[in-house]
Amino acid sequence: MTDISSLSLSELEATLLDMGEKKFRAKQIYSWIHKSLVESFDEMTNINKDLRNKLGESYYISQPKIIKKLVSKIDGTVKYLFEFFDGNRVESVLMRYKYGISICVSTQAGCNMGCKFCASTKLGKARDLTAGEILGQIYKAQNDCGERISHVVLMGMGEPLDNFENVVRFLNMVSDSDGLNISGRNISLSTCGIVPKIFELSELDFKLTLSVSLHAPTDELRSSMMPINKKYPISALMDACRSYTKTTGRRISFEYTLIKGVNDSKEQAEKLCSLLKGMLCHVNLIPVNSIKDSEYEKSEKQSIEAFRSYIESKGISATVRRKLGDDINAACGQLRRESVNE
Ligand code: SAH
């Protein structure tokens, strides 16, 4: 069985021609999957039954099943636990902002990056998601909430640049005018810093916002929190980031998770500022979400504010991430972890 939702329009045309069908059928089917967001071939009412049956024998539409859904009473944030055809589960979060509805999607079932503070990586990576499965999270959530999703962040489970081919295919399809037509400007991609892939991405002209999970200003500390830093240390990462801003003209958002007594001192704020000096960037400070079996705690409110205002005083824009869905908040990855341990 093949995931039909991962095929581009031209691939679908070739498939239909191979089946002895007319080329225009492909556009109809593509539109059912990527605009009408149908979940079965039987919903494709302008496609004859024979062809629908034939498609159903070799292909499936990869929208996930909703296993759990938590809705915040405070701000309407929705957290989904989704399951794919083979039983693999991922999380997605739908957030309501003034400018529209944004969804945070997963790119892998689990993750191999091993960041110490992150729940998604504790069980390792089960597998990469296909482009259709990344799209499917948006489609299912949009069908479920009945409103148009206008923004996408690739910041759920998994490392998007460790699943590069599928993620690039996803980016092409989600911005396609024959699909959801979400422009790159409304898409963010977050990476722990796979340097060669940052260079590759910069050549692809997606106009998206790149978020880089930095979290520490020195190699010693960053390597102790994020194993990827041993392979691609901070200097190499900064070179890639500078090159990214130069090639794309887009600013980078640096994610910095504040952990009490670990990375939140004034000296560390100073070091961070010297790293980022002169770069087209923004710093997004995130009070760490404590996870099971981790000794990391959130920084005090005053240290967070002091850290932020120090960075701003050096002319670098910095915000503290507003917390949505506080009442349903299990740090990213925890819902799946609990469900796998059930
Ligand atoms: N692999 C990608 C994207 C997924 S993680 C990356 O590393 O960027 C999305 C963001 O959440 C990253 O910035 C990550 O470092 C951060 N994060 C993970 N666990 C967290 C926790 N317990 N508290 C706060 N932020 C966390």
Side-chain angles (χ1 to χ4, degrees), residues 117-119 154-156 158-160 190-192 213 215 255 257 286-289 291 331:
F117 45 83
C118 180
L154 301 178
M155 227 187 234
E159 168 49 46
S190 181
T191 178
C192 62
S213 300
H215 304 318
E255 310 292 304
T257 292
I286 315 161
V288 73
N289 271 311
I291 63 168

